[in-house]
């Protein structure tokens, strides 16, 4: 059985595993540099995102809110589980972790193998292979 990371209440209203309040879907017409996604730590850009209905600062890009709990990734042999960093202790300390793919200290959500110290940030774990990049004529793969 696949468990979804969110529960839908009505069209555009969800409860996400990472937050105690309901979130509503909104559209951004422009880059909003003062608003950051809690999952990927990137700013809200043009497109859809979820915001807390109780007026706290919790925001998720729509794509980040729909990230699956369990994931297989080409760079790791075992299944990875989605976690909200901040409530758990991971290799980088409380609230931070080192991403295996980029080698940087990250915040936000992490995909981890609970039996090892393997961590991928949400964006890198969501990269599809092969990756098509307009600046290169051939498909790219994670090494």
């Amino acid at each position: 059985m696949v468990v979804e990371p969110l529960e839908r209440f009505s069209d555009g209203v969800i409860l996400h595993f990472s937050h105690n309040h309901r979130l509503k879907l909104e559209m951004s017409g422009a880059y909003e540099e003062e608003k950051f996604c809690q999952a990927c730590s990137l700013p809200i850009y043009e497109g859809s995102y979820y915001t807390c209905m109780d007026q706290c600062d919790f925001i998720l890009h729509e794509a980040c809110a729909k990230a699956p709990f369990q994931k297989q990734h080409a760079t790791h042999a075992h299944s990875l589980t989605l976690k909200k960093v901040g409530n758990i202790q991971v290799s980088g300390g409380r609230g931070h972790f080192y991403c295996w793919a980029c080698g940087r200290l990250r915040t936000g959500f992490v995909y981890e193998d609970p039996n090892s110290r393997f961590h991928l940030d949400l964006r890198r774990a969501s990269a599809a292979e092969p990756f098509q990049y307009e600046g290169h004529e051939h498909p790219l793969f994670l090494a």
Side-chain angles (χ1 to χ4, degrees):
M1 180 174 112
V2 175
V3 179
E4 294 294 322
L6 55 89
E7 179 182 347
R8 295 184 192 283
F9 285 95
S10 63
D11 193 32
V13 177
I14 64 167
L15 182 63
H16 196 266
F17 84 94
S18 62
H19 193 65
N20 296 330
H21 305 135
R22 290 182 184 187
L23 306 172
K24 65 180 175 179
L25 189 62
E26 300 208 359
M27 292 297 289
S28 175
Y31 174 82
E32 299 190 37
E33 66 183 55
E34 72 281 352
K35 293 183 179 181
F36 291 88
C37 176
Q38 300 295 309
C40 68
S41 302
L42 294 175
I44 299 300
Y45 43 79
E46 189 174 328
S48 53
Y49 64 96
Y50 285 98
T51 185
C52 183
M53 294 176 73
D54 286 350
Q55 305 302 320
C56 68
D57 293 334
F58 192 85
I59 300 171
L60 294 174
H61 291 115
E62 182 178 19
C64 294
K66 293 179 178 180
F69 268 135
Q70 297 290 317
K71 183 173 211 86
Q72 288 295 133
H73 197 269
T75 60
H76 193 68
H78 304 291
S79 180
L80 303 174
T81 304
L82 185 63
K83 303 276 184 168
K84 178 183 175 186
V85 175
N87 297 340
I88 61 171
Q89 184 76 27
V90 294
S91 62
R94 187 160 303 281
H96 297 88
F97 64 94
Y98 286 101
C99 177
W100 183 87
C102 69
R104 293 184 177 143
L105 190 62
R106 310 290 297 171
T107 60
F109 293 4
V110 60
Y111 275 101
E112 71 173 359
D113 176 351
N115 299 316
S116 72
R117 295 179 148 257
F118 185 85
H119 300 104
L120 284 179
D121 71 47
L122 182 70
R123 288 289 181 174
R124 278 147 193 87
S126 300
E129 283 196 83
F131 180 72
Q132 298 294 330
Y133 175 62
E134 292 179 13
H136 189 71
E137 63 182 290
H138 305 292
L140 303 173
F141 295 87
L142 291 171

